[in-house]
Amino acid sequence: MPHTHPSPSPHPGPEDAATRAERARRAARIEDSLTAPGAPFAVVTGERGTPEYADGPRTLREFVETTWAYGDAPFLIAGERTYSYGEFFAAASALAVRLRERYGLRSGDRAVIAMRNHPEWQIAFWAAQLAGLVAVPLNAWWTEGEFGHALDDCEPGVLLVDGERLGRVAGWARRTGTRLVLFHGAGRTAEGVRVERYEEFPAPDPLAAPPDVEPRPEDDATILYTSGTTGRPKGAVATHLAQVGAALNPRYHAAASALARGVIPGQGPAPVSLMTFPFFHVAAFTGFYGAMAAGGTLVLMHKWDAEEALRLIRAHRVTHFAGVPATGLQLLEAAERTGDGLESLTLFSTGGAPAPPALVTRLTARYGKRVEPRNGYGLTETSGGVLAHFGDDYRAEPGGAGRPTPVTEVRIAGPSGEELPDGEPGELWLRGQSLFRGYWRDAAATEEVFGEGGWFRTGDLAVRREGRVSVCDRIKDVVIRGGENVYCVEVEGVLHDHPDVADAAVLGIPHPVLGEEVAAVVRLRAGASAGAEVGDGAGAGVTAEALREHVGGKLAAFKVPARVLFTDEPLPRNATGKLLKDEIRAFAKASPPPAGA
């Protein structure tokens, strides 16, 4: 399951207890002002006994219908093409009518979306919602076999795909006779497949209404497949009520952030966001929900390129950056290298993978408090971010994950499910409005992750202090070295602090006495080189011993990697930025041991 969380902070930061307590009291006052009866984010107890937002939309159809009021304001920018909110809504409505009336799809049928971050991705997704269908966004980088597994699993009634994906789904469409709508597919064909080309559809009528369909809050809205890094991807099913909770969560955090800065929420121009997350990833949902709720603009990229990102930020006066930490660090490096001051930027948000503490330190050192840092924590199963860390709180505790939204309950659980006190690490359990209802057609997997009382077991190890949560690591990724727990993400964060390290992965390798030992695989920055160790014909460059000394200067000796391997290749990550530890572990095992080992 994709994760959005920073590197861990198992111990309190440099602030004293009184300062931390005052920050907690201030955050509580802000939450009370936003969630009290009659306030914009008032909270009530829902039918399931968990907190829900009292006001606002109850279905995604209700949510998207409100965006029609933004009219000619720009919504989607991709290259030379701009869709206004009015044009977007008309196009989504027209496609929704076609899905119902021409294709005969009915409420509850699945509509698969498989394409890059084209503007039409948003049109397809929201057309499914306006038609009362269940939208199933699939990972655009999957192979034909991976697509086949998901398609067999969800059995869609229509495929909404771009030309790059056509060849990977055509065989399944041919075998099942499923209709396919092709976007950006000039010159591409698929023999024996019922293909209709989106560009050949009649121009949308700006005054035409979407289908007369009214989904219920408890109806399924989406199936989002997990990353599958520990097995075959599973389809996490979220209802409309869960997804609109996810849509309001970023608006709540934006309001809380404004109040923390002494600003009245909702004032100022609408945000302009550079969208670098792939739309199929749950972190992107947090981003585009927040932008749509505020009438903001999404600037899209065909593929990530730091220099192109700088150009787009200048050209469109981008105010919000959102991406995985790796792209965030590359953007900062490109800005420093070219002298770009990122003058229009006011928010720098990362997610999808652990963010090294050095990222916020570097951002603050260069831009002060003009650019607000933000990160947090969310899962496919939570429909997006449910913890957020921003502003001065993030600067003071760069390893934290932040505070939960008011409709998210948090428990740090011990081995028997008992709630642990502040400061004691345990498994992070969650409950609340935006939680998924279960895995598609997989009752056993659903039962495995839900505990008594509807608590979802995340599989992450976390610590809570004064309402703030720090995520230490995936429980299965913790290295147990001679009875001591080593959190890989913590060591990775310290390695990222080294000026010559571009990327790092930490993992456990077998040890005959200790059980496990700590190992690190490191990629150096451009211009840096790995040097030979003393006694092995020492030369210039960064040595494994130098990196071990760097870690040892900040962490306990048992956390220092016993083995450091260098690679010139980018560390393997999935499409959402998460390190593929199994591949990295195979590389470590195949590498020869150091001399004298």
Side-chain angles (χ1 to χ4, degrees), residues 141-186:
W141 316 129
W142 275 350
T143 63
E144 181 176 358
E146 290 168 318
F147 273 117
H149 164 72
L151 294 171
D152 283 339
D153 188 52
C154 70
E155 297 181 311
V158 66
L159 304 176
L160 308 168
V161 305
D162 64 14
E164 292 177 88
R165 257 44 61 179
L166 177 61
R168 296 179 228 170
V169 302
W172 189 91
R174 185 182 305 111
R175 175 167 57 84
T176 60
T178 303
R179 287 183 177 273
L180 190 150
V181 178
L182 184 63
F183 302 79
H184 298 275

Side-chain angles (χ1 to χ4, degrees), residues 184-250:
H184 298 275
R188 296 178 184 264
T189 60
E191 186 177 349
V193 180
R194 292 192 293 174
V195 176
E196 292 193 311
R197 299 178 180 275
Y198 181 75
E199 62 267 23
E200 297 175 359
F201 290 177
D205 181 351
L207 300 179
D212 185 16
V213 179
E214 289 296 335
R216 300 169 301 172
E218 64 270 23
D219 289 342
D220 294 339
T222 59
I223 301 175
L224 300 179
Y225 279 83
T226 61
S227 62
T229 55
T230 58
R232 279 195 178 275
K234 299 185 291 291
V237 186
T239 65
H240 281 270
L241 184 64
Q243 285 291 1
V244 294
L248 290 175
N249 282 339

